[in-house]
Amino acid sequence: MKKNQQVLAAVLVSMATLATITPTNAQEVKTVASVDLKRYAGKWYEIAKIPNSFQKKCLSSTTAEYTPREDGQIDVRNRCKTADGFDEALGVAKVVPGSNNSKLQVRFAPAWLSWIPMVWGDYWIMELDEQYSLVTVGSPSREYLWLLSRTPTISEDQYENAINNATKQGFDTSRVVKSKP
């Protein structure tokens, strides 16, 4: 039994160490100067994304809803239509200190696992229009990218502009797929 505990401890330490290693890129992903989280709160519709494993069952109607909490964190509710109905993931986001709210970390794992760095995912707000109606979100690894809007659809010009800006930031936008409303 003691050997199993030692192995588990070694695995957790290794995973935590690996989670802090970031690949080096020619330039760091740039975020907006600041974000007013009260204005950012509310419902967003997914317009496009780089596909990822945790959304593979999502067929359409993907949304994210953000609700500020009194403790400074943000409740996150992601929802999408699947073959079996709707799927929902509840999580929490926290602001990265010193980022003026433009860099968040999001966790969908249970709260008791929040001490493990790898349960937190990067959510960097790369572009946000003045009306808080269109946002591009990515990760510093450039593995994740989302284009979100306050409305289920956007113009082709808005889409192309967001994709071109993500390309300029080093994202492989050939992998981006449009989401179905």
Side-chain angles (χ1 to χ4, degrees):
M1 183 66 139
K2 188 171 185 171
K3 179 131 177 125
N4 288 343
Q5 290 174 335
Q6 290 173 336
V7 169
L8 178 60
V11 167
L12 288 175
V13 168
S14 297
M15 290 168 65
T17 302
L18 288 173
T20 62
I21 298 172
T22 14
T24 53
N25 289 307
Q27 74 178 45
E28 182 175 286
V29 171
K30 292 184 177 111
T31 61
V32 296
S34 66
V35 176
D36 178 342
L37 294 178
K38 287 182 182 173
R39 288 186 65 199
Y40 195 82
K43 190 175 198 172
W44 292 87
Y45 295 87
E46 182 184 271
I47 302 300
K49 68 176 176 286
I50 291 179
N52 56 68
S53 60
F54 47 87
Q55 286 184 282
K56 62 184 169 190
K57 291 195 278 182
C58 293
L59 301 176
S60 66
S61 306
T62 303
T63 60
E65 192 165 350
Y66 306 105
T67 306
R69 299 180 351 182
E70 287 187 25
D71 65 2
Q73 294 191 340
I74 303 155
D75 285 326
V76 179
R77 179 179 161 221
N78 290 346
R79 184 175 159 91
C80 68
K81 188 173 183 181
T82 66
D84 300 324
F86 278 89
D87 188 31
E88 184 172 90
L90 301 176
V92 66
K94 63 182 180 180
V95 173
V96 173
S99 71
N100 290 323
N101 302 332
S102 67
K103 296 178 182 177
L104 306 175
Q105 289 189 311
V106 182
R107 168 184 54 78
F108 291 95
W112 63 272
L113 291 174
S114 64
W115 63 274
I116 301 173
M118 67 178 292
V119 303
W120 293 93
D122 292 309
Y123 182 104
W124 287 19
I125 301 171
M126 300 164 28
E127 279 192 293
L128 178 62
D129 68 357
E130 290 181 20
Q131 296 78 29
Y132 280 65
S133 63
L134 187 63
V135 64
T136 304
V137 176
S139 63
S141 67
R142 295 173 172 82
E143 182 180 352
Y144 302 108
L145 182 72
W146 291 273
L147 177 55
L148 307 174
S149 172
R150 294 293 189 179
T151 59
T153 60
I154 61 173
S155 74
E156 193 59 33
D157 284 345
Q158 289 174 305
Y159 175 81
E160 288 299 324
N161 186 48
I163 295 302
N164 289 338
N165 287 332
T167 302
K168 289 176 188 171
Q169 289 234 40
F171 284 82
D172 180 3
T173 53
S174 68
R175 297 175 46 216
V176 171
V177 297
K178 287 186 176 181
S179 305
K180 295 179 183 174

